[in-house]
Amino acid sequence: MGWRRWAVVRRLEWRTGVLALLAALAAASCALVLAVDLATGGGLVIARPVVAATCAGAVLVTGHLLRRRRVGETEAGVLLHVGALATTASGVLQPDLGWQWLSASVLTAIPVVGVMHLRRWGLVSLTALAALGAPVVFATWEPRSLLTLITAVAMAAVPAVVVGVVWALAEQLDAARAAAARAAGLDELTGLLNRHGLATRVGPLVRAAARAGEHVSVVVVDVDHFKRVNDTHGHLVGDRVLVAVADALRGAVREDDLVVRWGGEEIALVARGEAGRVTRLAERLRTAVEEVDLPGLPRVTVSLGTASTPAPARASDAGASELAARLLDRADAALYEAKRAGRNRVRHSAALPDSPATAASEDPTVVVLPADPVVVHPGTGAPPPP
């Protein structure tokens, strides 16, 4: 598994860890309050059942998050909204003024955590819930006064102001990260190379293949029925599906292979290796994507087309880019053969017209059809075209 995939996993786990930390702090605070109240023989003016129930709920949520390690947007949104409602109810039911202040303060923190997980209306509804929760808590103050009203209004404004500031900072950080990714030749959504990044790195790969007497091979991967995913689940889920597919592909290739977001839902791989190796690699890629099963995401499959040719003895960066482009065109044609044959399968294109097809003919797992430039990988279970 490449270092980039581990970086993505760590980032996702960190976001879930913030939720777990918030729940754990709530559990620890409630347990401390109960311990002090019991040690002083009821010295605190609290409703013990409310504190005990809050503590138990926080412990359960903490355990759930630690077990899952990663939660999707919907699940995080449900947990945060329930947490805001529970915090408001706890502040209303507790007669202690200090507890009410604590509840109102926690309500300002919950939407800030929501910025990490929610977008659009999910974040708006969570912020509104927290902003309304604080005045509800302070409405229980006795006696009511002008100070109570001013405090309630101020605490209602705090969540919206804090979330607005954090959101603006997060947007600036995302914009800076996207600009850095573009400058580095990376696709800002998936973290894969973009076309510019491929152009700067394909030359050394082709020359290394030539020195080793190897072939240059490409794989073009296309997510099956991706438009249906966007139409059914929305473009945000579609983006997450692309990220999941990119992570699965990264985890199945070597560190020196070049994985590129070629366009839309198409991802390309440029690697050193013979036709037999690239078709076996393509089958591993197909299986890796088929096995992806993440919470909140529909399961998808991919169709793959491959092509390979002996590396030229001498190739400039421009020549290597042209060679890769020709291979990608042939692999793309093989990809559409895979789609026409039923999708979720691999097709291999024969060697380029000016290159010998020795690699395909030497490998027993690849069937070369001289009259047809498309080669079938038997591991997919698809019959050769007539």
Side-chain angles (χ1 to χ4, degrees):
M1 182 180 297
W3 66 269
R4 291 189 184 91
R5 186 178 183 187
W6 280 115
V8 173
V9 171
R10 284 200 298 270
R11 175 170 60 85
L12 291 172
E13 288 183 345
W14 177 79
R15 292 180 179 182
T16 304
V18 172
L19 278 178
L21 178 62
L22 186 63
L25 288 175
S29 300
C30 294
L32 180 62
V33 169
L34 282 175
V36 171
D37 188 51
L38 293 173
T40 58
L44 300 180
V45 186
I46 62 171
R48 287 184 183 176
V50 175
V51 179
T54 304
C55 183
V59 169
L60 290 175
V61 171
T62 304
H64 172 74
L65 293 172
L66 292 177
R67 181 179 60 84
R68 289 294 301 274
R69 296 178 60 85
R70 178 189 301 184
V71 294
E73 180 179 354
T74 301
E75 187 175 0
V78 170
L79 290 174
L80 289 167
H81 280 77
V82 170
L85 288 171
T87 302
T88 302
S90 179
V92 170
L93 296 174
Q94 285 289 359
D96 182 71
L97 181 60
W99 187 279
Q100 293 172 343
W101 270 108
L102 178 62
S103 299
S105 300
V106 171
L107 283 171
T108 65
I110 290 177
V112 176
V113 177
V115 173
M116 305 175 191
H117 296 271
L118 305 179
R119 291 293 181 269
R120 299 174 184 168
W121 292 111
L123 184 61
V124 170
S125 64
L126 181 64
T127 304
L129 185 60
L132 293 174
V136 171
V137 170
F138 287 117
T140 61
W141 274 16
E142 293 293 346
R144 294 182 176 86
S145 64
L146 180 60
L147 178 61
T148 304
L149 176 62
I150 294 175
T151 303
V153 173
M155 293 301 291
V158 166
V161 172
V162 172
V163 168
V165 172
V166 173
W167 174 264
L169 292 175
E171 288 291 299
Q172 291 182 3
L173 181 61
D174 288 343
R177 185 182 294 113
R182 286 192 296 271
L186 299 178
D187 175 63
E188 57 191 75
L189 174 65
T190 62
L192 302 176
L193 293 174
N194 56 25
R195 294 193 178 208
H196 174 71
L198 174 64
T200 61
R201 297 181 60 179
V202 71
L205 182 143
V206 171
R207 289 190 287 271
R211 288 193 298 269
E214 296 177 334
H215 283 54
V216 178
S217 299
V218 302
V219 181
V220 178
V221 184
D222 187 84
V223 181
D224 294 331
H225 304 297
F226 187 70
K227 183 178 184 300
R228 184 184 302 170
V229 173
N230 280 332
D231 292 343
T232 304
H233 302 278
H235 288 275
L236 182 61
V237 171
D239 287 347
R240 292 173 58 205
V241 167
L242 284 179
V243 172
V245 170
D247 290 344
L249 298 179
R250 261 194 299 247
V253 302
R254 301 177 301 190
E255 290 188 4
D256 57 347
D257 294 340
L258 305 181
V259 188
V260 188
R261 186 176 181 192
W262 195 240
E265 68 272 21
E266 277 195 351
I267 296 174
L269 167 72
V270 183
R272 296 160 50 184
E274 323 306 319
R277 175 192 176 268
V278 78
T279 49
R280 290 190 294 271
L281 171 60
E283 181 63 21
R284 288 204 305 274
L285 297 177
R286 187 194 66 79
T287 302
V289 173
E290 193 174 35
E291 292 176 350
V292 172
D293 186 11
L294 295 178
L297 294 185
R299 301 187 68 168
V300 296
T301 60
V302 291
S303 300
L304 306 95
T306 74
S308 62
T309 194
R314 295 180 181 179
S316 63
D317 287 346
S321 295
E322 182 182 354
L323 176 67
R326 293 173 64 197
L327 282 172
L328 285 164
D329 284 344
R330 294 185 66 82
D332 200 51
L335 164 68
Y336 280 97
E337 287 292 330
K339 285 182 171 293
R340 282 192 289 269
R343 305 178 190 267
N344 191 25
R345 63 196 66 217
V346 177
R347 288 290 185 272
H348 180 73
S349 174
L352 294 175
D354 55 353
S355 302
T358 56
S361 60
E362 292 173 357
D363 194 296
T365 65
V366 180
V367 180
V368 181
L369 305 179
D372 189 332
V374 175
V375 181
V376 180
H377 181 245
T380 62

